[in-house]
Amino acid sequence: MPNIILLGPPGAGKGTQAKRLVDERQMVQLSTGDMLREAKTSGSEMGRKVAAVMERGELVTDEIVIGLIREKLGGAAGGGFIFDGFPRTLAQADALGQLMADTGQKLNAVIEMRVDDAALVARITGRYTCGGCGAVYHDQTKPTAVAGVCDSCGSDKMVRRADDTEEALRTRLMEYYKKTSPLIGYYYAKGALSSVDGLAEMDVVAGSIATVLNSGD
Ligand code: ADP
Ligand code: ZN
């Protein structure tokens, strides 16, 4: 199975598309954001260390996230990885290249999800998810049928991310433009980059990603 990176600003829909690929193609989602949030919930020392940084919308150190990815790649053979939210810096991109080489794997595609900033702010500041099943909702564009109750699983535990505030989002966007967006050029120069329109309907975006995946080896 191919190994791919989903690249794009916060709110581009990387997580949503990654989850679809997991369901439809049995690929393996490696989201450093999810891993860090899990560490935070588990109360581990690392989790405590990163909590405030994440809440402000700043990037966690390369050392920590590279360590997380190294752990996951070490155990899992076979590939089919979707890197979601990683790499986010050039140092992380170099480290990933090295890790893949060390484990005998290849990066098949880097898919850039393009969206405009105004859309991101609107998407993210209204976002909430079901604590029971992970379904994603939005105050304006996709509210639950019954306020506060999940359409899919009936849970009434709705959660909002601590960094989905307008202020933290501004910081996340700035971090993206300063540190992550250079990766677009980096992977383009390596001949690995494909871009899809992240503002299209979810199914259309999924179709564009499928086209990239099916055109590869
Ligand atoms: P989003 O893409 O919506 O901003 P993520 O869940 O990918 O959300 O990341 C949330 C936060 O976790 C980031 O703002 C950052 O603090 C931290 N984080 C996640 N992945 C990385 C990474 N690869 N490098 C540094 N920090 C990261
Ligand atoms: Zn639910």
Side-chain angles (χ1 to χ4, degrees):
M1 263 198 281
N3 298 306
I4 64 167
I5 294 174
L6 295 181
L7 187 61
K14 303 183 296 286
T16 305
Q17 295 299 331
K19 289 202 167 62
R20 274 182 84 125
L21 291 169
V22 170
D23 291 342
E24 291 166 11
R25 295 182 185 242
Q26 287 76 49
M27 292 176 77
V28 180
Q29 180 185 12
L30 296 181
S31 158
T32 41
D34 286 351
M35 293 173 206
L36 291 165
R37 276 185 291 279
E38 266 162 40
K40 212 170 92 176
T41 319
S42 78
S44 70
E45 198 197 319
M46 189 262 278
R48 277 197 304 276
K49 225 162 81 183
V50 301
V53 175
M54 290 176 72
E55 196 154 334
R56 286 196 299 273
E58 293 164 12
L59 292 190
V60 168
T61 64
D62 289 337
E63 195 191 349
I64 288 179
V65 291
I66 292 166
L68 287 169
I69 291 289
R70 181 182 292 121
E71 246 171 64
K72 299 278 175 183
L73 286 185
F81 298 116
I82 308 157
F83 296 98
D84 159 16
F86 179 92
R88 260 179 160 91
T89 64
L90 291 167
Q92 291 177 23
D94 283 336
L96 178 61
Q98 193 59 55
L99 279 171
M100 298 291 276
D102 290 349
T103 52
Q105 309 226 39
K106 169 166 187 259
L107 194 58
N108 301 82
V110 178
I111 302 174
E112 178 205 359
M113 300 180 67
R114 288 218 177 125
V115 278
D116 74 66
D117 293 347
L120 294 179
V121 176
R123 267 192 193 183
I124 288 191
T125 51
R127 178 166 79 172
Y128 57 100
T129 51
C130 170
C133 71
V136 183
Y137 297 99
H138 191 281
D139 292 323
Q140 276 82 45
T141 56
K142 197 192 168 205
T144 51
V146 179
V149 180
C150 179
D151 297 351
S152 307
C153 78
S155 164
D156 61 1
K157 223 179 116 246
M158 292 300 154
V159 288
R160 284 178 199 266
R161 269 172 51 173
D163 61 350
D164 273 354
T165 62
E166 193 149 349
E167 197 193 348
L169 176 58
R170 296 281 167 204
T171 306
R172 283 156 68 199
L173 271 179
M174 190 58 83
E175 291 284 73
Y176 176 77
Y177 285 114
K178 286 207 287 206
K179 299 172 186 167
T180 309
S181 65
L183 297 184
I184 294 170
Y186 174 98
Y187 286 116
Y188 176 79
K190 281 183 181 283
L193 192 77
S194 301
S195 298
V196 303
D197 175 12
L199 279 182
E201 296 267 332
M202 230 162 68
D203 290 346
V204 175
V205 179
S208 311
I209 292 175
T211 304
V212 175
L213 286 176
N214 297 338
S215 73
D217 38 338

